[in-house]
Amino acid sequence: MRPERTIQDIVQEGGKYFMPSVSLDCVIFGFHENELKVLLLKMKNMDQWALPGGFIYKDEDIEDAATRVLRERTGLHDIFLQQFKVFGLPNRSDKKHHLNIMKKDGIKVGKDHWLIQRFITVGFYALVDFAVVIPEPDMNSVSCEWHEIHSISELFMDHKDILDNALETLRLQLNHQPIGYNLLPQKFTMPELQKLYETILDKKLDRRNFQRRMNGFGFVKRLKETRKGGAHKAPFLYNFDLRKYKKALQEGLQGGW
Amino acid sequence: MRPERTIQDIVQEGGKYFMPSVSLDCVIFGFHENELKVLLLKMKNMDQWALPGGFIYKDEDIEDAATRVLRERTGLHDIFLQQFKVFGLPNRSDKKHHLNIMKKDGIKVGKDHWLIQRFITVGFYALVDFAVVIPEPDMNSVSCEWHEIHSISELFMDHKDILDNALETLRLQLNHQPIGYNLLPQKFTMPELQKLYETILDKKLDRRNFQRRMNGFGFVKRLKETRKGGAHKAPFLYNFDLRKYKKALQEGLQGGW
DNA sequence: ACAAAAGTGTTGTCGATACACCCATGG
DNA sequence: CCATGGGTGTATCGACAACACTTTTGT
């Protein structure tokens, strides 16, 4: 375990234990009420939202650092995450802005301070079960909330660009990564799975053909229970046969959508 | 243009103008005599081969830095390149080894020297037309040569891992990136294109079905010339209709292989 | 003339699409 | 009881795999 740090400690001493010039940002996807959502932080003293992110300890693997950030924001330990791109434009960070934040927090820093150097950031996307996440803001933010993916228009720095890239990656990897498994609860209904696919692909699919195809793959198992409570006919619940699912993904699910 | 540097200047002064802790490495693919090849550097004072790589100037975009490295090793200006992964294990660089190299070159450095800090590296892959490349070693190497992809067993540091990842990425992106266009000369034959696909996918394809499918896509155009010189029947030459090719790739070429 | 490589054609099968119909449930 | 959503069945079409045959060229 890494020690808890205060914001003052990080600003003043972070240069000693964090890697210089490298950060990471996480696009955390969740699925709830038939909508794809992303976990965002409302920043202190600002009217902007940002992706959860962090720095990397000098002796820490980058993936471990991402896992740590994920754990801190969601409370979850075992999370599916995947690095997808480095964002490294020289002017991507707004140095004036950083200085302002620190001023407001009453922290004075020199021009060669580690936090106002150029930073590149490694983008990760993570897939979580919405229901079990307990969102927790970090030191720089006042709240941590889910946002519907299509209602996000502007974010801190280049974070909107990072988000768009994550979504695009998700789309491309839909046939190669266990996306359904990680975004849905253990038990789910066919219409839910379909909605997930439709949201990610941003297109409508035929209900019956979708079901036939999914069943044809052989990695979903229908249970004897149904999802009660909703109006209309109660749909059956399914779960994934993880063995078969992963095996099928290795080859990539055949055919387009 | 960036200035030419001596190795001494880089070792002693590099910390001033390069980003700390971040490097890049390029997997440069070429296709020749029906074989997929990679451009490697034979390192000075060592029995190992390495991927071409470099550092990033403090005010330089990472993609530009990669382009610069590519230009220096191949002589080419317009190169297709794509970032594919960050390699960031804490122990990936061998500090002792770096110290040794510098010693052999008669350079003394302290323990806090910028070159023996932990480095993460951004992996790029590049696709070039084999015929027009003029391989050029860098300051740390004695030669720069093409190596057949399957005959490479061990490389410097984690470069073999980087190479394997690049190849895997190439495979996954075969239906989404203009891989044929960039690896083949302007004019090429169907059997050549097929061999390229077979090499990347590592499986045999049916000659006739391959041709029908390629023609069906509509982005290859058969010319009236044939490839003379070889034995047996002369195959027709083709070229890409870049407009249609890119359009088709946007959707992704349908169907698996 | 023969071997080897390239061009062209045909057929069967399987999977995706586009439908229509039946069942269950809440208002 | 009816609107709505969910489950199941079927016909059609197209794409791909598997195959055979013809054409060209060098030796």
Side-chain angles (χ1 to χ4, degrees):
Chain A
M1 278 299 272
R2 306 282 170 177
E4 290 265 332
R5 309 273 185 189
T6 65
I7 193 163
Q8 278 78 13
D9 184 57
I10 286 181
V11 171
Q12 279 155 22
E13 307 292 327
K16 291 181 188 162
Y17 45 79
F18 285 132
M19 286 193 73
S21 299
V22 183
S23 65
L24 67 90
D25 287 292
C26 298
V27 181
I28 308 173
F29 289 106
F31 192 68
H32 185 58
E33 290 176 345
N34 281 341
E35 285 181 338
L36 192 61
K37 315 228 175 196
V38 175
L39 204 55
L40 294 180
L41 298 170
K42 175 81 189 300
M43 300 178 74
K44 273 182 190 165
N45 304 320
M46 286 192 68
D47 246 5
Q48 275 188 306
W49 293 80
L51 295 173
F55 301 110
I56 299 142
Y57 285 96
K58 286 190 171 174
D59 62 348
E60 184 183 36
D61 183 19
I62 301 184
E63 312 275 329
D64 291 341
T67 305
R68 175 170 52 79
V69 170
L70 266 301
R71 182 177 358 98
E72 288 168 2
R73 295 303 130 253
T74 65
L76 303 181
H77 285 76
D78 284 313
I79 291 188
F80 176 90
L81 91 160
Q82 180 118 335
Q83 173 202 134
F84 66 94
K85 192 174 176 188
V86 175
F87 298 82
L89 289 177
N91 59 350
R92 60 175 288 279
S93 72
D94 182 351
K95 286 177 191 173
K96 257 195 243 168
H97 160 83
H98 271 120
L99 282 171
N100 277 336
I101 288 182
M102 292 195 253
K103 256 186 214 159
K104 281 189 185 169
D105 265 347
I107 300 168
K108 277 188 183 171
V109 293
K111 277 227 165 183
D112 59 345
H113 187 269
W114 75 283
L115 267 174
I116 60 170
Q117 301 306 116
R118 172 184 175 191
F119 266 81
I120 66 169
T121 197
V122 184
F124 286 82
Y125 77 86
L127 307 176
V128 300
D129 178 359
F130 182 94
V132 296
V133 170
I134 302 163
E136 185 71 37
D138 69 8
M139 293 177 310
N140 292 310
S141 28
V142 293
S143 71
C144 181
E145 293 170 20
W146 291 103
H147 286 245
E148 203 276 316
I149 198 98
H150 286 114
S151 69
I152 300 166
S153 59
E154 207 201 314
L155 293 175
F156 181 59
M157 279 171 45
D158 57 354
H159 287 195
K160 180 64 161 68
D161 186 34
I162 297 176
L163 171 60
D164 290 342
N165 268 277
L167 194 54
E168 177 62 20
T169 305
L170 202 61
R171 199 167 286 145
L172 288 172
Q173 300 197 344
L174 193 52
N175 291 329
H176 297 274
Q177 297 293 347
I179 289 173
Y181 179 77
N182 287 287
L183 277 177
L184 294 174
Q186 280 229 340
K187 298 176 183 179
F188 56 93
T189 67
M190 230 7 129
E192 284 164 5
L193 182 59
Q194 184 182 340
K195 257 286 170 230
L196 175 59
Y197 269 74
E198 288 183 340
T199 307
I200 293 175
L201 296 168
D202 202 22
K203 75 163 90 164
K204 287 228 168 290
L205 302 172
D206 184 275
R207 189 169 55 91
R208 298 147 289 198
N209 296 330
F210 179 83
Q211 256 186 37
R212 199 195 337 276
R213 198 135 113 75
M214 275 297 157
N215 284 321
F217 288 137
F219 52 67
V220 287
K221 204 171 56 192
R222 189 161 94 176
L223 308 176
K224 284 176 183 158
E225 319 163 56
T226 54
R227 165 88 75 222
K228 318 269 187 186
H232 318 300
K233 180 167 180 175
F236 282 101
L237 287 169
Y238 288 76
N239 62 17
F240 282 98
D241 183 330
L242 195 49
R243 272 185 96 79
K244 290 182 185 167
Y245 191 23
K246 290 202 168 164
K247 198 171 172 186
L249 289 168
Q250 294 242 334
E251 303 289 313
L253 305 188
Q254 286 311 327
W257 291 96
Chain B
M1 278 298 273
R2 307 281 170 177
E4 290 265 332
R5 310 271 184 187
T6 63
I7 194 163
Q8 278 78 14
D9 183 57
I10 286 182
V11 171
Q12 280 154 22
E13 308 292 327
K16 291 179 188 163
Y17 45 79
F18 285 132
M19 286 193 73
S21 300
V22 183
S23 65
L24 67 90
D25 287 292
C26 299
V27 180
I28 307 174
F29 289 106
F31 193 67
H32 185 57
E33 289 176 346
N34 282 342
E35 284 180 341
L36 191 60
K37 315 229 175 193
V38 175
L39 203 56
L40 294 180
L41 298 169
K42 174 80 189 298
M43 300 178 75
K44 273 182 188 165
N45 302 322
M46 285 192 68
D47 245 6
Q48 273 188 308
W49 293 80
L51 295 173
F55 301 109
I56 299 144
Y57 285 97
K58 284 188 173 175
D59 62 348
E60 185 182 36
D61 183 19
I62 302 184
E63 311 277 327
D64 292 341
T67 306
R68 175 171 52 78
V69 169
L70 267 301
R71 181 176 1 97
E72 287 168 3
R73 293 305 130 252
T74 64
L76 304 181
H77 285 76
D78 285 312
I79 291 188
F80 176 90
L81 91 160
Q82 179 118 335
Q83 171 201 137
F84 65 95
K85 193 175 176 188
V86 175
F87 297 81
L89 289 176
N91 60 350
R92 60 174 288 280
S93 70
D94 183 350
K95 288 176 190 174
K96 256 194 247 170
H97 161 82
H98 272 120
L99 283 171
N100 277 337
I101 289 183
M102 293 195 252
K103 256 186 215 161
K104 279 190 185 168
D105 265 347
I107 300 168
K108 276 189 184 172
V109 292
K111 277 227 165 183
D112 58 347
H113 187 268
W114 74 283
L115 267 175
I116 58 170
Q117 301 306 116
R118 172 184 175 190
F119 267 81
I120 67 168
T121 198
V122 183
F124 286 83
Y125 77 86
L127 306 176
V128 300
D129 178 359
F130 181 94
V132 296
V133 170
I134 302 163
E136 184 71 36
D138 69 9
M139 294 175 310
N140 292 310
S141 30
V142 293
S143 72
C144 181
E145 292 171 19
W146 291 103
H147 287 244
E148 202 276 315
I149 198 97
H150 286 114
S151 69
I152 299 165
S153 59
E154 207 201 313
L155 293 176
F156 180 59
M157 278 170 46
D158 57 355
H159 287 196
K160 180 63 161 66
D161 186 34
I162 297 177
L163 171 60
D164 290 342
N165 268 277
L167 194 54
E168 177 63 20
T169 305
L170 202 61
R171 201 167 286 147
L172 287 173
Q173 301 196 344
L174 193 53
N175 290 329
H176 297 274
Q177 297 292 347
I179 290 174
Y181 179 77
N182 287 287
L183 277 176
L184 294 173
Q186 281 228 339
K187 298 175 184 180
F188 57 91
T189 67
M190 229 8 128
E192 283 164 6
L193 183 59
Q194 183 182 342
K195 258 286 170 226
L196 174 59
Y197 270 75
E198 288 183 340
T199 308
I200 292 175
L201 296 168
D202 202 21
K203 74 164 91 162
K204 286 231 169 288
L205 302 171
D206 183 277
R207 188 170 57 89
R208 297 146 287 194
N209 296 330
F210 180 83
Q211 248 180 43
R212 195 192 345 271
R213 198 134 115 76
M214 277 296 158
N215 284 322
F217 288 137
F219 51 67
V220 288
K221 204 172 57 193
R222 189 160 93 176
L223 308 176
K224 283 175 182 157
E225 319 163 56
T226 53
R227 166 88 76 222
K228 319 270 186 186
H232 318 300
K233 180 167 182 176
F236 282 101
L237 286 169
Y238 289 77
N239 62 17
F240 282 99
D241 182 332
L242 195 48
R243 272 184 95 78
K244 291 182 185 168
Y245 191 22
K246 290 201 169 167
K247 199 171 171 186
L249 290 169
Q250 294 241 335
E251 304 290 313
L253 305 188
Q254 287 312 329
W257 291 97

